[in-house]
Amino acid sequence: MPITGLDILIPVLVVLVLLLIFVGIKTVPQGSNFTVERFGRYTRTLSPGLNVIVPFIDRVGARLNMMEQVLDVPTQEVITRDNAIVAVDGVAFYQVLNAAQAAYQVSGLENAILNLTMTNIRSVMGSMDLDELLSNRDAINERLLRVVDEAANPWGVKMTRVEIKDINPPENLVDSMARQMMAERNKRAQILEAEGLKQAQVLEAEGRKEAAFRDAEARERLAEAEARATQSVSEAIAQGGVQAINYFVAQKYTEALAKIGSANNNKVVLMPFEASSLIGSLGGIGAIAKEVFGEDAVPLVRRSPARPPVVTPDES
């Protein structure tokens, strides 16, 4: 059977259709976006999944990763505001939010972000002293993130994090910082010790003051009590109460005997007296009161001869 032109045309058309389908259908993987260009001009962005373009008219331009990506910032030297040279490295995280801007607003997106981050690290850290760099790393990261994100925003990129990994001063500078820290700690220790001594002296002085005040108050109250007792005895004597004289003198007499017995220069104290001796002394005092106040003042106790105590002095 002879082959006609229709027999050749049909397979050619089938192959052409299959070729057009193969060229026109584009599969975009998850986490990626493709840009479509028609005669070299951007027209639209293909999202993940199955997409169809016009064969031989449209073509895929840029294939962009839309997932968050990490960019390692190499080590570089930074001169601080106080002229200290430190080696700094870091890491940056970014995510493409607009595929068209990332593809057509900047050439070499990753290289642009890297150089932008390194430049801002030198700018931010160069405006700070060394002590600020070592103690305010969180503030540095926050400032870097804000500056770099603002600069990368026209590129359709969101900077999610910029972190400083290491800050390495020179060894001689580290030794100087260690000596400075040791001197500062010694200074603080001396200050704390001096403050503690001062506080102890203040508390001791306040204690002595409080004790002296309480002693004076006690003596004042004792004097007031003695004055009230003396006044009461005086009033009783003025009213003819010889009993008050007897009580007052007997109290002083017994107190004197107690002091004699507790003296340190006497080892043995002999006091051979009976109760009548003390009463006799009170009777003698009553006689004195009778002479003062007259015959009407009659004591309540009679006098009896008293024998004074015999005190043996210390033989040593």
Side-chain angles (χ1 to χ4, degrees):
M1 182 177 180
I3 300 175
T4 62
L6 183 60
D7 294 334
I8 298 174
L9 181 61
I10 291 176
V12 171
L13 290 177
V14 171
V15 172
L16 183 59
V17 170
L18 293 176
L19 180 62
L20 291 176
I21 294 175
F22 178 77
V23 175
I25 294 178
K26 298 297 180 182
T27 302
V28 180
Q30 185 65 38
S32 299
N33 278 168
F34 292 172
T35 62
V36 177
E37 299 175 357
R38 178 169 295 177
F39 301 114
R41 181 182 179 183
Y42 167 78
T43 57
R44 61 195 177 97
T45 300
L46 302 180
S47 59
L50 187 64
N51 297 270
V52 179
I53 63 174
V54 180
F56 306 108
I57 296 177
D58 295 338
R59 71 180 184 90
V60 175
R63 293 174 169 83
L64 297 173
N65 187 350
M66 305 301 290
M67 295 182 293
E68 187 173 1
Q69 304 177 64
V70 59
L71 185 62
D72 188 29
V73 180
T75 303
Q76 60 177 333
E77 290 186 349
V78 177
I79 301 176
T80 62
R81 186 170 57 185
D82 53 352
N83 298 324
I85 301 176
V86 295
V88 181
D89 63 350
V91 61
F93 295 84
Y94 69 94
Q95 184 177 13
V96 177
L97 300 181
N98 191 310
Q101 290 181 346
Y104 303 110
Q105 293 292 332
V106 61
S107 177
L109 178 63
E110 184 174 321
N111 185 51
I113 294 176
L114 177 61
N115 283 275
L116 178 64
T117 304
M118 295 177 64
T119 302
N120 282 278
I121 286 176
R122 290 194 297 268
S123 299
V124 172
M125 302 183 70
S127 63
M128 304 173 69
D129 294 332
L130 179 60
D131 293 337
E132 294 181 87
L133 296 183
L134 299 177
S135 60
N136 297 324
R137 186 170 298 189
D138 291 339
I140 296 174
N141 294 335
E142 182 181 355
R143 184 176 174 185
L144 280 173
L145 178 61
R146 184 177 65 253
V147 174
V148 177
D149 181 63
E150 183 179 355
N153 186 57
W155 303 339
V157 176
K158 173 64 178 178
M159 301 299 299
T160 57
R161 186 177 295 272
V162 178
E163 295 284 347
I164 299 298
K165 292 195 297 185
D166 293 319
I167 301 176
N168 300 318
E171 292 184 1
N172 56 352
L173 186 58
V174 173
D175 295 338
S176 300
M177 293 172 61
R179 291 194 298 270
Q180 180 182 1
M181 180 184 64
M182 184 61 66
E184 184 68 22
R185 290 182 182 276
N186 292 334
K187 176 183 176 181
R188 292 179 181 177
Q190 293 176 358
I191 292 176
L192 291 176
E193 184 178 357
E195 289 180 352
L197 180 60
K198 175 183 176 181
Q199 188 68 18
Q201 293 176 351
V202 170
L203 292 176
E204 184 179 359
E206 290 181 353
R208 292 196 302 268
K209 176 182 176 182
E210 183 68 18
F213 175 77
R214 292 183 181 275
D215 290 342
E217 185 178 5
R219 289 194 299 269
E220 181 180 358
R221 293 182 178 179
L222 181 61
E224 291 178 355
E226 291 286 345
R228 286 196 297 270
T230 304
Q231 183 179 2
S232 299
V233 172
S234 300
E235 292 176 354
I237 294 173
Q239 296 174 1
V242 184
Q243 298 91 336
I245 300 177
N246 294 338
Y247 172 77
F248 188 74
V249 175
Q251 181 183 9
K252 296 299 181 180
Y253 186 71
T254 54
E255 290 178 358
L257 291 179
K259 291 182 179 180
I260 293 174
S262 61
N264 295 328
N265 58 353
N266 293 327
K267 293 183 178 180
V268 180
V269 178
L270 299 176
M271 295 181 294
F273 61 95
E274 301 84 11
S276 59
S277 62
L278 181 59
I279 298 174
S281 299
L282 296 177
I285 297 172
I288 297 174
K290 185 182 295 184
E291 294 179 359
V292 175
F293 298 103
E295 295 295 333
D296 294 334
V298 179
L300 296 178
V301 295
R302 287 185 308 177
R303 287 181 298 169
S304 62
R307 289 176 293 178
V310 178
V311 180
T312 302
D314 188 1
E315 295 180 357
S316 60

